[in-house]
Amino acid sequence: MTATEHETVFTYGAPALKYGTGASDEIGYDLTQYGVHRVLVVTDPQVAATGWPRRIADGIAGYGIETEIFDGVHVEPTDVSMQKAVDFARGTGPYDAFVAVGGGSAIDTAKAANLLTSNDGELMDYVNAPVGGGRAPDRPLKPLVAVPTTTGTGSESTTVCVLDVLSLRVKSGISHLRLRPTLAVVDPRLTVSQPAGVTAASGMDILCHAAESYTAKPYTDFERKRPEQRVPYCGSNPLADMFAEQSLRLLSWALPAAVRDGDDLKAREAMALAATFAGLGFGNAGVHIPHANAYPIAGQVRDFHPDGYPGDEPMVPHGMAVSLTAPAAFRFTFDAAPDRHLRVARLLAPDFEWPGDFADHLPAVLIDLMRQIGIPDGIGAVGYAESDVDSLVEGTLKQQRLLATAPREASEEDLSGILRESVSLW
């Protein structure tokens, strides 16, 4: 490839951001700036039980804006659960704005409801190919205010909506610039009710967002695109790197502290900021192999029930699923960007007792942290065996949007090796 064929342009997009204690009390005022008159608040039953969605809805109503609450979001949403939200929004609408209060599940569900009440078609028309039709929205979406109550998913910053397609037993998503929330309102008070298990899993999601975006294939290594070909995930770049580094610095102390003591408001504030920084980074640079592996790990779950999550259905929480193959994945990608992998390790654990092999530095740091905060010992601890690897690889290979961002191309055999190495981590 000649120099003129390499990409020379990177893109950057982000929502407007309001961060800090008390920020969620101002959403009614914020919505008046968009000329909004009728709003749907989207949340899940567990978050609804904290009272925050009702408090936010009442605050919005205080500005003369009519509000309705949908509290039927499914944790780790599916095509079926998202369709219920879409049907509710269609049946009780029209709405001229959406407010999502919750974790990534609520924010992603609100994105789907917004998409399908603003555009024609059905959910699977827009799901990324090859799982769905990969259709792009023809019309702009309504304003979406994202109010995260978990520190991890970054969905308040991104253009992605993730879901399980139940009939195919695969996790996929919808990705388009128009899905990015209009405003992210990050109020650390809303995260204090997170159980320790949720804090640990979502915290590992933050960490992997930052580490994967920082080690992603550089934007200059891609073939040059025409303007209409540009996608949100453009590869590592100087702006995304800056956010990733600051996120990792905060996580180095705040993640174990927040898991250890959920009432530690200083740690909660740092986690909320780390999640925001990571989202502002990976929402543009992209993520790669750990996230690609996470989709089938979550989608093919049989009987694992994690601490801190609703116990009625088996699930592997997204952040947990991402973390389980991260040590092996980063060992595999090390040779493509040694300095960046070592930089991530040192930001996370500057005083660590380093193993002899440089390629083991980041995996060792991740495993030590995962043990500290109670993440399971590999994919074997959430119900998978070596006999499941072929099926998991098949699911990973469907995530070409993510694999394209890996700094080192991963073959079917390579992915199989990463997953086998991840059956047990310690």
Side-chain angles (χ1 to χ4, degrees):
M1 184 184 293
T2 65
T4 56
E5 292 175 318
H6 279 91
E7 185 59 85
T8 61
V9 174
F10 74 85
T11 56
Y12 189 82
L17 172 66
K18 180 172 282 191
Y19 169 89
T21 300
S24 62
D25 295 334
E26 301 181 5
I27 294 171
Y29 169 80
D30 297 326
L31 288 169
T32 64
Q33 307 307 294
Y34 302 112
V36 167
H37 301 287
R38 193 160 191 267
V39 171
L40 180 62
V41 176
V42 178
T43 191
D44 68 58
Q46 290 74 35
V47 174
T50 69
W52 280 109
R54 171 50 61 190
R55 174 173 171 169
I56 289 169
D58 289 347
I60 294 169
Y63 282 84
I65 299 171
E66 185 181 347
T67 61
E68 185 77 43
I69 296 178
F70 173 78
D71 63 2
V73 168
H74 190 279
V75 176
E76 302 293 333
T78 68
D79 52 340
V80 174
S81 74
M82 282 189 171
Q83 189 60 50
K84 289 179 181 177
V86 170
D87 292 343
F88 183 92
R90 286 173 170 171
T92 59
Y95 297 98
D96 47 17
F98 293 80
V99 175
V101 184
S105 299
I107 298 170
D108 286 1
T109 299
K111 289 177 181 177
N114 193 3
L115 171 66
L116 290 168
T117 53
S118 303
N119 286 265
D120 299 329
E122 299 303 328
L123 194 62
M124 289 303 293
D125 295 337
Y126 294 93
V127 171
N128 296 326
V131 177
R135 176 177 166 183
D138 299 316
R139 295 191 289 275
L141 276 62
K142 304 294 193 301
L144 167 59
V145 178
V147 191
T149 61
T150 60
T151 44
T153 71
S155 185
E156 70 275 7
S157 299
T158 72
T159 62
V160 180
C161 160
V162 178
L163 69 156
D164 283 305
V165 181
L166 293 179
S167 62
L168 301 177
R169 296 192 71 219
V170 67
K171 209 176 189 78
S172 189
I174 302 170
S175 178
H176 193 273
L177 290 170
R178 286 180 171 168
L179 267 65
R180 196 190 307 276
T182 313
L183 171 65
V185 176
V186 182
D187 187 336
R189 296 177 304 173
L190 275 65
T191 70
V192 172
S193 61
Q194 273 189 127
V198 178
T199 301
S202 58
M204 288 305 299
D205 199 19
I206 306 172
L207 190 157
C208 289
H209 287 154
E212 288 174 61
S213 69
Y214 195 73
T215 58
K217 183 177 178 178
Y219 78 97
T220 51
D221 283 0
F222 287 89
E223 291 186 12
R224 188 170 182 88
K225 296 179 176 67
R226 297 189 303 273
E228 68 274 14
Q229 294 176 315
R230 299 203 184 282
V231 294
Y233 284 2
C234 64
S236 62
N237 61 77
L239 202 53
D241 290 349
M242 176 182 67
F243 286 116
E245 287 189 343
Q246 185 59 19
S247 178
L248 293 165
R249 285 190 188 94
L250 290 166
L251 289 169
S252 67
W253 66 269
L255 176 51
V259 172
R260 187 168 52 247
D261 179 7
D263 292 325
D264 183 341
L265 193 57
K266 182 179 179 183
R268 290 293 193 188
E269 289 173 346
M271 287 289 289
L273 201 53
T276 302
F277 284 148
L280 293 171
F282 93 88
N284 295 276
V287 288
H288 53 86
I289 295 173
H291 268 76
N293 287 336
Y295 282 3
I297 291 169
Q300 297 178 30
V301 63
R302 289 189 283 265
D303 56 8
F304 182 71
H305 295 266
D307 292 339
Y309 288 83
D312 49 340
E313 296 178 19
M315 65 180 294
V316 182
H318 172 68
M320 181 185 292
V322 170
S323 71
L324 295 177
T325 67
F330 286 121
R331 189 176 289 111
F332 170 78
T333 57
F334 176 82
D335 286 343
D339 290 348
R340 283 181 172 257
H341 286 69
L342 294 174
R343 175 72 170 151
V344 171
R346 280 148 183 74
L347 286 169
L348 285 170
D351 300 321
F352 198 75
E353 188 173 329
W354 304 108
D357 188 342
F358 284 150
D360 286 332
H361 285 201
L362 180 52
V365 166
L366 294 176
I367 288 170
D368 181 68
L369 178 59
M370 291 162 71
R371 295 182 74 170
Q372 283 185 56
I373 64 177
I375 298 293
D377 177 15
I379 62 174
V382 299
Y384 294 105
E386 287 208 15
S387 58
D388 297 307
V389 165
D390 288 348
S391 177
L392 293 173
V393 169
E394 182 181 354
T396 299
L397 287 169
K398 293 178 180 177
Q399 313 306 323
Q400 290 300 316
R401 179 179 62 88
L402 306 183
L403 293 174
T405 318
R408 178 182 173 191
E409 186 174 347
S411 67
E412 184 174 343
E413 184 178 353
D414 293 329
L415 293 170
S416 177
I418 290 168
L419 284 157
R420 290 181 194 281
E421 192 177 328
S422 302
V423 172
S424 179
L425 298 175
W426 56 81

